[in-house]
Amino acid sequence: MNTFKPSMITAALISSGIAMSSLPLYAQESPQIEEDEITIPEEDTVERIEVRGFSTSLIQSLNQKRFSDTVSEQISADDLGGLPDVSMADALTRLPGISAVRTGGQAAQINIRGLSGDFVFSTLNGREQVSTSGSRAIEFDQYPSELISEAAVYKSPKASLIEGGIAGTVELRTASPLAMDQQHKFSANMRGMYNDRASEVSDAKEFGHRLSFSYQGKFLEDTLGVSLGYARLFQPSVSTQFIGLAYDGVVDVDGVEGDTDGPSSCPECEYISEGFEMQHKGGEETRDGYVAAIEWAPVDNFTLKADAFISKFDSEAFARGFRVKLGGVNAGITNPVIVNNSVIGGTFSRTDDSFTRVELVNDDNQDFDSVENLGINANWEISPDFAVQVDISRSSAESDFRNGLLWSLVGEDANAVSPVFDENVQISYLLNGLNLPDIAINQSDAFTDLDRVMVSKYGIYPFVNKDELDAYRIDFQYYVDMPIIAGFEFGYRYSDREYNNDRSVFEYGNDSAFSVSQPPLQLTPDMVEQVNWSGDFSYFPSYLSVDLNSALDAWFPEGRPQPLQTWGPGAAGVINGPGTGPSTAWTMQESGDVFETVNSAYLMANINTELGSIPITGNLGVRYVESKQSSTTLNRATALISDPETGAQIELSDPSLGAQNITDEAGLINNFYSPAVVTHQYTDVLPSINLNFKLTDDTQLRVAAAKVMGRAPINRFAANASTTIETVTAFQDRDSGEISLSTPTAKVNGSAQNSPYLEPFYATQYDVSWEYYFSETEGALVIAGFYKDIESFVEDIEIEPYDFAGNGIVVPESVQVPVYLAPEFNGQAAELARDANGDPVFVTVPTENGSYSTAVNNAEGGYIRGLEVAYTQIYSMLPGWLSGLGVSASYSFTESEIQRTLGDNIYAADLPGLSENVATVTVFWEHEGFETRLSGRYRDAFVSQQVAVNEQVTNFDSELVVDYQASYAINDHWSVLFQVNNLTDEPTKSYFSSVEQTGTIQFFGTQYYLGMTYQL
């Protein structure tokens, strides 16, 4: 075994973790200090275990964990490009206590110790990262594993780490060229990929590939280092899925007297679902990653390094199938099947008051994401006892997500001059828990009939997010020769972050009927393809897949209209519009900027002492943080006055409240709002202690305690409170003159789901870790426990009915609704009804208090506690070829008393991201250039979001994902590889309040890789 003896200041930096990223040169040697000048005690000598193959990364990771000064987990690549995983999300899930939420079948955001991605803080080369997620949660699938050389997960914090991770801090590191042993390194990795479910999805691609190239070199007598890397992923995105929609309706279905099991608002009622979807999903994902670094050490005690990481992840996806809308509380319901007060089956029929229908879905989504992380770092070891580092960085992310939909409905006759929507709709179904449901639809034969199906609605809803952060940091280390304290670390950091969200919209047509003013599109054979289901889904009805481009070219021959950020002609306060039409004021109110500045400073003492004969190392420190968060907003600036003739209240712009004329992208001017910036500031003091007791040469005990904080997601600071009034339509019969309303009242609904006044999450946490490192063979056994006392969470609550006026929100008592003449035929232009004087006819419709959604820091937190066990061993004691056998396994148990209620008491959820049991195991064998390993990742049921029509929080069922890999080194340069991901085609399954309320059932397929690697 080889050892190295760094200078005292370098040893302090290594123990603090800084040397891993900013001092690669001195992690090897410190030429300016002779070995006899400073003597390192024998027990502090760092041992490097020399092994080869997959076990190399395991043992390197254990070494880094062993000599870390916090409770942490480590991943180390044998070489740049050596990690086999598709992304760092997959790689991190191999660590104890870490799991992932699969998006599209692959890991994206990670959970640490039962907490979701919003509680996970992440850095790259020691610098805070922003995310394409639109929140603080890092999407780790954006980071190619081929470009990351090391990763660490700090489960216990220390004062020198940037604040923000209640769950933990993930540190990713790219390669430092001056730290490598060789003079030059080059590697190339090429793999072809095949998905075995792609053939089930029309137009889906079956094949993909992964490519990566990297080079590292040292020049000018090892004073100049260069590192370059590129990684490309192209893969098909495939899934076949059933999605249940939320149980958001309550109605007395069974009519049983004395039934009081329902919600407080209607004890005799049962819960009914909004509906369900059946879809084929396909598309392609392309990720291009780039990394570069240049490192210069002109003298022995100074290093200057500049590095860059760029990743662009583009996704184009489609969803084809049908969406069943059961019709709400006014649907006709017969033969209901009720379990636990939920209707999970029956026959739903359309009535005059319900919206029961089946929509044929042709959705096309595009997502263009990019992250850029740039930085420059200078390190100066001023003396053997004193060092300083200065770091300047910029992290930026941009996400351009365009959610496009093209929906069709079944008509009575698509060839008619005025086609009519077929209102004879009956849907019979029976959910089967986590298995596929039984379904029968009376219109199913028409789903493939061009004489019946017509495109009724097109919509596009872009989300454009930009997130930029500039940071400046200076750190000092000072070594002292004291009985207990070995040195001090102190520093200051300033960061300035700006987040921007832009919303826009374009809608045409109607998703519940055929529009008169925006008539449907008749399909032709060249626009469509009949799609049949197969496998487990084969009994679902066939449907028509519509080519989006062909349909839109026919519907909009003069060019497709583009989405706009607009009030909409029907929005309250528009002074130059027609006075009627849709209101899309939410695109203005949900667009805006969030600003966040943070000043932080820390002081930390490094501990090196003895208790009896037991050496003790660690650190004790405190971090002080000043945070300021601001958000742009549009405040309602109106006043209510009474009409002297009618007595009706009228809402008017009030300049005294700051009302201004605000023009949108469509040229509409609204004078109901006042632009403003809302600001909130707070300070925090975060103490921490980490102690490591070296019980024997092979055994150590770690204990740690800290106060930690995590800010709310950056998008939740947006001050975009809004109120909307339900649109009511009125039609007058041309013969009788009778006026009918779509609803008797106009409900007022409000939302303030984001707030710049949201406080951080706070927790006091305690950690203990017992570690035993094997001496006869390579490996370790680690047992760790933790306890987090969390003060509060951001809670989404919904209040219905909400007293808007009583809470100071100006709302009208009634609205004036224009009356239209009932159309004589489909496609007839809308025509206003007029009185004897020729003036438009209006009816007064009273308003009614509806729901109000908001976000608050709740008053209740609770504990999260757990136990982790990790075991790694290479059985080198076995004879002959068996000596290459090894196992790496972990198990974690996590529990919490915290439960969160979502919606109007409809659904009580466990803490998002928490699985009680998480386990991983990898069995591997290496012999004479041949390596093979089988890995499994298991997690218990947990709570997370599924994405359907809207984001819905559900319970995800337990899952076991199995991967396999084999490789053979032909010679010192060439090797071949075979890899299988998701070997058993493990589906994702979820449910709402209980298992009978089916959520998602998704199959993603098994991915096969075959490739080769060249190293020089």
Side-chain angles (χ1 to χ4, degrees), residues 359-374:
E359 304 162 354
L360 301 187
V361 174
N362 286 267
D363 292 350
D364 278 87
N365 298 327
Q366 296 179 314
D367 194 3
F368 304 101
D369 294 345
S370 64
V371 297
E372 295 184 3
N373 292 285
L374 311 174

Side-chain angles (χ1 to χ4, degrees), residues 83-405:
L83 293 176
D85 309 280
V86 173
S87 72
M88 288 307 301
D90 293 297
L92 291 166
T93 57
R94 294 194 268 118
L95 297 175
I98 299 178
S99 54
V101 178
R102 291 194 293 165
T103 302
Q106 298 199 357
Q109 295 183 12
I110 66 169
N111 306 148
I112 299 179
R113 287 181 163 178
L115 288 168
S116 63
D118 283 329
F119 300 94
V120 176
F121 189 77
S122 182
T123 62
L124 179 69
N125 295 328
R127 303 165 183 135
E128 181 180 358
Q129 300 175 80
V130 296
S131 173
T132 59
S133 65
S135 66
R136 295 189 194 273
I138 298 296
E139 295 184 316
F140 287 98
D141 58 346
Q142 186 87 40
Y143 295 82
S145 63
E146 298 95 331
L147 302 184
I148 303 298
S149 60
E150 294 178 357
V153 178
Y154 296 102
K155 295 179 177 177
S156 69
K158 56 184 176 180
S160 60
L161 286 177
I162 304 173
E163 75 286 342
I166 281 188
T169 296
V170 177
E171 161 70 348
L172 305 179
R173 305 185 188 106
T174 57
S176 293
L178 290 182
M180 69 175 181
D181 297 329
Q182 300 95 320
Q183 204 69 21
H184 299 277
K185 258 187 192 180
F186 173 79
S187 67
N189 193 323
M190 296 152 283
R191 302 180 193 180
M193 178 260 193
Y194 168 75
N195 185 296
D196 67 354
R197 269 195 181 264
S199 59
E200 298 180 3
V201 179
S202 176
D203 297 328
K205 290 181 170 60
E206 297 178 274
F207 297 98
H209 59 262
R210 287 175 64 186
L211 303 171
S212 68
F213 306 93
S214 65
Y215 168 75
Q216 296 167 265
K218 295 191 291 187
F219 305 90
L220 303 179
E221 298 181 347
D222 295 350
T223 61
L224 180 68
V226 175
S227 177
L228 299 170
Y230 168 72
R232 179 180 177 83
L233 168 71
F234 174 81
Q235 64 182 8
S237 174
V238 175
S239 67
T240 307
Q241 61 187 26
F242 169 88
I243 299 178
L245 304 183
Y247 276 74
D248 54 4
V250 290
V251 63
D252 186 7
V253 174
D254 56 14
V256 176
E257 286 190 32
D259 182 3
T260 59
D261 294 333
S264 57
S265 59
C266 183
E268 71 277 10
C269 290
E270 285 74 40
Y271 295 106
I272 60 172
S273 169
E274 182 183 341
F276 49 85
E277 303 176 357
M278 287 153 286
Q279 294 179 346
H280 289 112
K281 296 190 71 174
E284 55 190 55
E285 298 175 341
T286 304
R287 183 188 63 202
D288 291 294
Y290 310 84
V291 66
I294 183 167
E295 199 169 11
W296 183 45
V299 293
D300 291 340
N301 64 338
F302 179 80
T303 303
L304 183 67
K305 180 183 177 184
D307 57 81
F309 175 92
I310 299 173
S311 176
K312 299 181 182 296
F313 202 151
D314 297 338
S315 172
E316 298 190 26
F318 61 80
R320 309 282 187 259
F322 46 93
R323 178 179 294 118
V324 172
K325 303 302 288 287
L326 293 175
V329 298
N330 294 318
I333 306 174
T334 56
N335 302 319
V337 179
I338 301 171
V339 177
N340 291 334
N341 217 50
S342 298
V343 178
I344 66 164
T347 299
F348 282 66
S349 303
R350 187 181 179 97
T351 66
D352 292 339
D353 297 322
S354 77
F355 53 84
T356 309
R357 64 186 184 272
V358 180
E359 304 162 354
L360 301 187
V361 174
N362 286 267
D363 292 350
D364 278 87
N365 298 327
Q366 296 179 314
D367 194 3
F368 304 101
D369 294 345
S370 64
V371 297
E372 295 184 3
N373 292 285
L374 311 174
I376 184 168
N377 179 278
N379 173 73
W380 183 20
E381 192 167 342
I382 300 171
S383 73
D385 300 332
F386 190 50
V388 59
Q389 300 86 40
V390 176
D391 192 272
I392 302 173
S393 64
R394 179 178 179 82
S395 178
S396 62
E398 183 171 352
S399 175
D400 185 353
F401 175 67
R402 300 174 71 85
N403 172 220
L405 57 88

Side-chain angles (χ1 to χ4, degrees), residues 642-654:
S642 296
D643 188 305
E645 295 183 4
T646 65
Q649 287 191 316
I650 303 173
E651 186 179 10
L652 295 177
S653 173
D654 188 347

Side-chain angles (χ1 to χ4, degrees), residues 846-885:
T847 59
E848 176 188 3
N849 284 332
S851 67
Y852 189 75
S853 301
T854 188
V856 296
N857 285 94
N858 65 17
E860 295 184 5
Y863 68 75
I864 302 175
R865 60 191 180 191
L867 177 70
E868 298 171 349
V869 180
Y871 166 71
T872 298
Q873 187 166 15
I874 301 171
Y875 301 109
S876 55
M877 81 293 285
L878 296 176
W881 57 271
L882 291 176
S883 62
L885 187 65

Side-chain angles (χ1 to χ4, degrees), residues 461-464 501-505 564-565 586-587 590-591:
Y461 309 87
F463 297 70
V464 179
N501 180 50
D502 280 323
R503 298 299 314 275
S504 56
V505 65
L564 297 173
Q565 191 175 112
W586 58 268
T587 65
E590 293 184 15
S591 300

